[in-house]
Amino acid sequence: MGNKHSQFMKLAISKAWKNQFHTYPNPAVGATVVLNGKVLSVQSHENAGEPHAEVLALKEAYLTVYSNSKLKELISSEEIHQFLTLNHNDFFKTCEIYVTLEPCNHIGKTPACAMLLESIGIKKVYIGTLDPNKKASGGVQRLRDADIEVDIGVCKELTDELLYPFTLWQKNKFIFFKLAMRIDGSIDGGYITTKESLEKVHDIRTKIDCLAIGGETVRIDRPTLDARFAVINKAPDILIYSKQQEFDKTIPLFDVKNRELTISNDFDISKYKFVMVEGGFNLLKSIEDKIDYLLLFISHKSKKENIFDYKTLGFKKVYSYNINEFDEIVFLKRITVGKL
């Protein structure tokens, strides 16, 4: 597979990582539309129930030529699908699309992407990873049945890595540990990162089933642990992991309505599938064998000489990007596979 194909797929992969954990119960997926070697659009799925990556990428690509089209105002998947099916003007006959995951062949909250690609007569589809979800798979067969050329396995190692959290979640559960730190590894003294990072964390909280936190952190930080900085304030259930069961009930987290709160000396999250843990290094060390991923929010505000080496935490970096000028988000996978 030539370098240009890898380059186009990597654009889709990078875009999708920026929505990792935001799309549940759907996977993070990215798509790039190319015409004669020129990138027309790069998009990713943002929220479950909203347009998939392919739909957003096709919409943006179409608008590069038909900039005053009514399509610009359309937001829902159904409307975009219908418009492009009826008004594609054979525009996509010479376009290629690169998708990190096999286009879905399932009509659920949104129409099937494979059906749309068939309807508009796309020239060729490059796919990173085949869909492990049997309910949504079958896109490749549909495309080939429509005489659309399909190439599978472009940057497969990277697209598999992108899909890995969703794969674990689908099989059983996915547990990740979120930790905010400065570049020297210090984690004390109130808010560490900027409001953009805080908003990102709060948005992720609206997607998870449960937020676990250590009792020591609750007593020291007196947090609320809601999602007030997200667009939809949907607070997750809380598990306070603590040997000492007594807490000051004026701590704000005890006053958040419409959620279940458990205090336990046993890290029992058996009834949950998508779990985020927040805490410090001590908590991470004590439950390390249960954690699949480590999500670091690193502040680069202070230009300190001694930089913390997160490789010592027993996790390996799989991806990172800068949220803004000060904050970096780093995704790390636990080196030892499988939970005890």
Side-chain angles (χ1 to χ4, degrees):
M1 189 54 63
N3 285 337
K4 67 170 185 176
H5 298 300
S6 299
Q7 176 193 339
F8 296 144
M9 186 62 83
K10 282 176 181 175
L11 289 173
I13 292 167
S14 294
K15 190 77 170 176
W17 271 107
K18 292 181 179 175
N19 281 312
Q20 185 68 276
F21 304 157
H22 293 267
T23 60
Y24 283 71
N26 294 347
V29 178
T32 305
V33 175
V34 176
L35 175 61
N36 299 326
K38 181 188 173 188
V39 174
L40 297 185
S41 62
V42 185
Q43 288 290 340
S44 69
H45 184 44
E46 295 180 0
N47 290 293
E50 294 180 9
H52 289 182
E54 300 95 313
V55 178
L56 293 172
L58 292 169
K59 175 185 175 181
E60 186 185 341
Y62 187 87
L63 290 172
T64 61
V65 173
Y66 303 99
S67 55
N68 295 320
S69 168
K70 181 192 170 188
L71 177 62
K72 189 188 291 185
E73 301 158 20
L74 305 182
I75 294 169
S76 80
S77 256
E78 290 80 3
E79 289 176 324
I80 299 168
H81 273 246
Q82 188 176 24
F83 181 92
L84 288 176
T85 298
L86 297 174
N87 303 281
H88 57 77
N89 302 324
D90 286 337
F91 170 71
F92 297 103
K93 286 280 185 189
T94 49
C95 288
E96 299 171 322
I97 189 167
Y98 293 75
V99 192
T100 60
L101 183 66
E102 177 183 8
C104 65
N105 195 37
H106 163 67
I107 299 172
K109 288 185 179 176
T110 61
C113 292
M115 193 184 296
L116 176 60
L117 292 168
E118 177 189 1
S119 302
I120 63 174
I122 195 102
K123 179 184 175 185
K124 187 167 182 177
V125 181
Y126 295 88
I127 296 168
T129 301
L130 291 175
D131 198 331
N133 179 4
K134 288 180 182 175
K135 190 177 177 183
S137 64
V140 168
Q141 194 57 53
R142 175 186 277 276
L143 293 168
R144 285 181 172 161
D145 287 347
D147 293 324
I148 293 169
E149 199 177 343
V150 179
D151 203 326
I152 302 165
V154 184
C155 298
K156 186 178 184 301
E157 209 173 291
L158 298 178
T159 55
D160 283 354
E161 197 69 79
L162 172 68
L163 192 65
Y164 178 73
F166 179 78
T167 305
L168 288 187
W169 173 84
Q170 205 172 40
K171 285 179 181 172
N172 180 24
K173 64 174 77 253
F174 179 70
I175 307 168
F176 66 100
F177 196 106
K178 174 250 156 186
L179 184 61
M181 65 164 68
R182 299 175 190 87
I183 54 169
D184 64 352
S186 61
I187 60 173
D188 56 340
Y191 286 126
I192 293 170
T193 52
T194 64
K195 192 171 181 190
E196 273 183 88
S197 289
L198 192 60
E199 287 168 352
K200 192 166 186 65
V201 171
H202 278 230
D203 186 67
I204 292 171
R205 283 179 183 171
T206 69
K207 314 295 180 183
I208 59 175
D209 304 319
C210 176
L211 173 54
I213 189 165
E216 185 184 359
T217 304
V218 171
R219 292 184 180 92
I220 294 170
D221 292 351
R222 301 180 63 85
T224 307
L225 302 182
D226 62 358
R228 63 192 179 280
F229 295 120
V231 176
I232 302 167
N233 187 357
K234 175 183 167 288
D237 285 356
I238 297 290
L239 169 67
I240 300 175
Y241 180 45
S242 174
K243 289 177 183 174
Q244 171 59 42
Q245 305 284 293
E246 294 301 316
F247 284 87
D248 174 3
K249 294 298 169 42
T250 65
I251 293 172
L253 72 84
F254 290 101
D255 199 35
V256 177
K257 304 288 187 285
N258 302 317
R259 70 173 176 194
E260 193 174 311
L261 191 148
T262 307
I263 302 169
S264 173
N265 61 3
D266 178 20
F267 192 77
D268 180 12
I269 39 136
S270 55
K271 71 177 186 177
Y272 299 109
K273 274 179 69 74
F274 192 23
V275 181
M276 176 161 75
V277 187
E278 293 194 26
F281 293 116
N282 289 340
L283 179 60
L284 175 61
K285 198 68 186 166
S286 70
I287 58 169
E288 185 181 16
D289 61 301
K290 302 181 192 305
I291 303 299
D292 299 305
Y293 246 56
L294 179 55
L295 185 62
L296 294 184
F297 285 80
I298 303 176
S299 171
H300 293 263
K301 263 186 187 175
S302 61
K303 306 295 180 187
K304 298 193 177 179
E305 288 181 17
N306 55 322
I307 296 176
F308 179 78
D309 182 7
Y310 48 71
K311 292 172 191 167
T312 61
L313 296 173
F315 292 76
K316 68 172 182 178
K317 175 181 169 181
V318 291
Y319 198 79
S320 70
Y321 67 90
N322 294 323
I323 295 174
N324 54 35
E325 144 185 38
F326 298 114
D327 297 351
E328 177 189 16
I329 184 167
V330 184
F331 299 86
L332 301 105
K333 182 164 72 173
R334 187 157 62 91
I335 292 167
T336 311
V337 179
K339 302 188 189 79
L340 299 179

